[in-house]
Amino acid sequence: NAGVTQTPKFRILKIGQSMTLQCTQDMNHNYMYWYRQDPGMGLKLIYYSVGAGITDKGEVPNGYNVSRSTTEDFPLRLELAAPSQTSVYFCASDSLPGQGLDTEAFFGQGTRLTVV
Amino acid sequence: AQSVTQPDIHITVSEGASLELRCNYSYGATPYLFWYVQSPGQGLQLLLKYFSGDTLVQGIKGFEAEFKRSQSSFNLRKPSVHWSDAAEYFCAVGEGDSSYKLIFGSGTRLLVRP
């Protein structure tokens, strides 16, 4: 069981370039999330999705876009990369948050992105 | 705006000693509360969560946390720390009445002395 898989693990971008961070989960979870983690800080929610075809903004969505065409995949798109987007990005998925103590969010191992 | 405060950036304890990591939140109603652990180079793993009911919550790896409404706190405890517990610990609260849009604290790094 692979869980939540993120690719790539590391990437260096030049200012103004664009890229897509891939996230896929094989647990048939409806809820998926993208977070960023800056050094010495907690995670901040970028975008989330409660099911295929449905996405919504989180706390820090500017400079990012997402899509959710399938249950499994939730790619994060960076357009016109900026140094402020240097961070570690985590994707997560959840089945039925809030429905019981046996549900939890599963996190990928992260993508470390540097914009120079 | 809601917030989560973890006042201790670093904590060092000896192996076998007890541990308490502090977490305070701001929210008027009963929040959804979480503790996550992050090992170096890894994603986050859920230790425990509080939604309602019993204010003392048991989690994995021998951790527990107590929700205290009067103090707006959700402190994480472990009676005897193992060297493998060295990691970063994050407290989080659900935004508003959401259990899935989380607001994280800045984390507490736990170091364990042999």
Side-chain angles (χ1 to χ4, degrees):
Chain A
N1 190 347
V4 179
T5 303
Q6 290 182 237
T7 57
K9 288 188 168 48
F10 303 93
R11 183 71 185 268
I12 298 175
L13 277 183
K14 293 184 178 179
I15 295 171
Q17 287 185 319
S18 62
M19 77 164 292
T20 299
L21 280 66
Q22 302 292 344
C23 175
T24 187
Q25 52 92 7
D26 61 359
M27 297 172 282
N28 201 34
H29 286 168
N30 284 323
Y31 289 73
M32 295 188 75
Y33 320 86
W34 274 106
Y35 289 91
R36 60 177 286 173
Q37 183 181 29
D38 298 328
M41 305 293 288
L43 280 70
K44 291 187 183 296
L45 184 63
I46 305 171
Y47 270 96
Y48 67 99
S49 169
V50 300
I54 305 170
T55 63
D56 208 346
K57 296 177 180 179
E59 184 181 359
V60 289
N62 292 344
Y64 307 95
N65 279 299
V66 293
S67 60
R68 186 90 182 273
S69 57
T70 66
T71 299
E72 296 78 19
D73 301 308
F74 190 42
L76 177 71
R77 178 82 176 165
L78 278 73
E79 306 282 4
L80 298 176
S84 61
Q85 293 178 304
T86 294
S87 190
V88 181
Y89 292 83
F90 288 99
C91 179
S93 72
D94 201 342
S95 55
L96 292 171
Q99 296 301 309
L101 299 179
D102 59 344
T103 65
E104 69 175 90
F106 291 87
F107 283 77
Q109 293 197 324
T111 296
R112 186 175 294 276
L113 176 66
T114 302
V115 181
V116 296
Chain B
Q2 279 181 271
S3 64
V4 177
T5 302
Q6 293 180 249
D8 304 306
I9 298 174
H10 296 100
I11 282 186
T12 301
V13 299
S14 297
E15 191 168 14
S18 63
L19 171 70
E20 182 169 29
L21 302 182
R22 296 184 289 165
C23 172
N24 293 95
Y25 66 90
S26 66
Y27 184 56
T30 300
Y32 293 108
L33 293 162
F34 306 79
W35 274 101
Y36 284 88
V37 60
Q38 184 180 33
S39 299
Q42 301 294 313
L44 276 69
Q45 181 182 23
L46 180 69
L47 286 175
L48 48 79
K49 58 187 176 184
Y50 172 78
F51 284 177
S52 65
D54 193 346
T55 56
L56 184 62
V57 181
Q58 301 297 321
I60 62 170
K61 303 184 180 185
F63 286 92
E64 66 177 26
E66 186 172 11
F67 169 58
K68 292 186 177 180
R69 183 191 303 276
S70 61
Q71 298 176 19
S72 297
S73 70
F74 189 56
N75 293 350
L76 182 71
R77 302 193 294 248
K78 187 169 184 178
S80 177
V81 170
H82 188 263
W83 64 266
S84 61
D85 292 324
E88 185 129 25
Y89 291 80
F90 292 95
C91 181
V93 64
E95 182 184 321
D97 59 357
S98 166
S99 64
Y100 56 91
K101 293 169 64 179
L102 300 186
I103 298 171
F104 282 83
S106 55
T108 297
R109 182 167 297 278
L110 173 65
L111 303 174
V112 180
R113 279 194 297 257

